[in-house]
Amino acid sequence: MNESTEFEYVGFWLRVWASLIDTALMLIVIFPILFAIYGSEKLASGVTLSGSANILVSYILPAIVVIVFWNARQATPGKMAIGATIVDAKTGEKPSLQQNLIRYAGYFVSTIPFCLGLIWVGIDKRKQGWHDKLAGTVVVRRKNRGTEPVKFEG
């Protein structure tokens, strides 16, 4: 087994934090577009938006953005903020496009049964959610990420 003492698996709460950052950033982009298409009355009324524009902006655009980030940076902005990257679980290398596509589709599988596949990150020894297991990926970050270790003179 090839072990790395340089990296650690990223756990549940850090990944929740990264997801919150990503969600906030995505909403900053999506709401103005939906506002421009549907207007303030329809958005404020709580009416369920329908039509091809909503599908494009609310589902397809986020999928493209996330997969592009995973391919280009091995992370979304939220994961970058916490110093995490997505890697192939066997090699530690950059995941393939196919793995990233499976990983994204795996989010739906992970959330349908009461988000159990996402909660699994907190249970699994390698901190893999079902989407990670399906795609053969893990989320890692460098240990001791500070620029200089703390030293005390006493």
Side-chain angles (χ1 to χ4, degrees), residues 2-32:
N2 187 9
E3 290 188 21
S4 172
T5 57
E6 186 179 349
F7 294 97
E8 63 186 356
Y9 297 116
V10 179
F12 180 78
W13 290 111
L14 276 174
R15 289 172 71 168
V16 166
W17 180 241
S19 294
L20 290 172
I21 292 169
D22 290 335
T23 300
L25 291 173
M26 197 65 76
L27 289 175
I28 289 170
V29 173
I30 289 173
F31 271 145

Side-chain angles (χ1 to χ4, degrees), residues 15-69:
R15 289 172 71 168
V16 166
W17 180 241
S19 294
L20 290 172
I21 292 169
D22 290 335
T23 300
L25 291 173
M26 197 65 76
L27 289 175
I28 289 170
V29 173
I30 289 173
F31 271 145
I33 296 170
L34 290 175
F35 179 80
I37 294 169
Y38 292 103
S40 61
E41 293 86 29
K42 199 161 193 179
L43 286 178
S45 68
V47 172
T48 303
L49 301 177
S50 60
S52 58
N54 183 51
I55 292 169
L56 179 66
V57 174
S58 297
Y59 298 99
I60 296 172
L61 176 65
I64 290 169
V65 168
V66 167
I67 292 167
V68 165
F69 265 104

Side-chain angles (χ1 to χ4, degrees), residues 56-123:
L56 179 66
V57 174
S58 297
Y59 298 99
I60 296 172
L61 176 65
I64 290 169
V65 168
V66 167
I67 292 167
V68 165
F69 265 104
W70 286 349
N71 274 329
R73 304 290 299 238
Q74 292 177 251
T76 56
K79 281 187 178 53
M80 286 186 259
I82 64 167
T85 57
I86 303 163
V87 297
D88 182 282
K90 290 180 184 172
T91 66
E93 299 294 322
K94 181 179 179 179
S96 67
L97 174 60
Q98 181 178 354
Q99 283 176 295
N100 287 333
L101 292 169
I102 292 168
R103 190 173 193 275
Y104 193 86
Y107 275 124
F108 296 99
V109 174
S110 295
T111 56
I112 289 172
F114 308 106
C115 294
L116 186 59
L118 301 176
I119 295 168
W120 204 259
V121 171
I123 299 167

Side-chain angles (χ1 to χ4, degrees), residues 119-132:
I119 295 168
W120 204 259
V121 171
I123 299 167
D124 190 77
K125 68 178 183 174
R126 294 179 77 192
K127 307 301 181 194
Q128 288 178 295
W130 293 354
H131 54 289
D132 290 309

